[in-house]
Amino acid sequence: MDNLDNPAEDVLAGVGPRLRALRRARSATLAALAKETGLTASTLSRLENGKLRPTLEQLLPLARAHGVPLDDLVAAPPTGDPRIHLRPVRRSGLVLVPLTKRAGGIQAYKVIYPPADRSPTMKLQTHEGYEWFYVLDGHVRFVLGEREFRLGAGEAAEFDTRIPHWIGSAERRPAEVLTLFGAQGERAHLAPAGH
């Protein structure tokens, strides 16, 4: 049967190359993606090469791992609506709202930190890359190595993420920031719990 007669086959045929491009844009290996999604490296390879027809059960964890809507994986036809539909992600007590929709490169997020009295235990983290953030609302407690800062609305910080760091609300109300980070930062902040 010709793909012109079966548009679903045409859509599914493009999933593999999109999956491969998303994984490579994140510099992720098949083994790392397998660990993140619960799928085997062999299954991921077969999906990327078009040797296995993707199922919804496979596509959902892949969309989550890559931080893209399911529509992006299957290249759903445009609806004529130019707005970006923001889908918040909850991780470690934070709410992260993606503001960009492309794989790889610098990503923009609005991050909402819970009130200081409801914040998870302060655990400094490190990862490759640089990060920049701008405080939109509230006050932020920012720990960078041995130093600690308090930033208010309108203040920004940029830092090397190889230095142990932690960011959280400094008050009994949420703090909101606009943040930019690369693929390494995205993996560090958006990896599912336990990874």
Side-chain angles (χ1 to χ4, degrees):
M1 180 182 289
D2 193 324
N3 280 352
L4 294 174
D5 296 330
N6 192 348
E9 282 300 319
D10 196 34
V11 166
L12 291 176
V15 171
R18 281 189 288 283
L19 288 173
R20 185 180 307 109
L22 285 166
R23 180 178 58 80
R24 288 181 176 168
R26 294 175 53 213
S27 301
T29 64
L30 285 171
L33 187 58
K35 194 177 221 184
E36 197 174 349
T37 61
L39 301 170
T40 67
S42 170
T43 297
L44 294 170
S45 176
R46 290 171 52 220
L47 286 168
E48 287 185 5
N49 292 321
K51 294 179 180 169
L52 179 64
R53 183 184 176 116
T55 66
L56 186 58
E57 290 78 16
Q58 294 163 332
L59 292 175
L60 287 173
L62 285 165
R64 274 193 300 269
H66 292 308
V68 298
L70 188 58
D71 288 356
D72 286 3
L73 292 184
V74 295
T79 61
D81 186 348
R83 295 172 294 175
I84 295 174
H85 299 282
L86 308 175
R87 291 184 178 93
V89 176
R90 296 182 188 281
R91 290 284 187 270
S92 305
L94 309 179
V95 177
L96 295 102
V97 182
L99 302 176
T100 51
K101 284 182 54 175
R102 66 182 183 285
I106 301 297
Q107 302 295 330
Y109 284 85
K110 177 181 176 182
V111 182
I112 303 168
Y113 293 94
D117 58 346
R118 285 190 272 163
S119 182
T121 306
M122 184 175 75
K123 180 181 174 191
L124 278 76
Q125 64 175 344
T126 61
H127 51 87
E128 290 296 317
Y130 282 84
E131 212 165 296
W132 173 91
F133 70 87
Y134 175 87
V135 181
L136 296 167
D137 188 42
H139 285 87
V140 166
R141 179 179 173 206
F142 173 42
V143 178
L144 184 64
E146 301 293 321
R147 301 176 71 191
E148 186 170 321
F149 306 89
R150 181 182 168 106
L151 288 84
E155 292 187 280
E158 180 179 16
F159 59 99
D160 182 337
T161 57
R162 293 174 295 183
I163 300 170
H165 59 280
W166 181 86
I167 304 167
S169 176
E171 303 174 320
R172 290 183 171 215
R173 67 185 191 107
E176 296 182 10
V177 305
L178 174 65
T179 189
L180 301 176
F181 44 73
Q184 300 96 338
E186 190 172 28
R187 280 194 294 277
H189 293 288
L190 295 172
H195 287 263

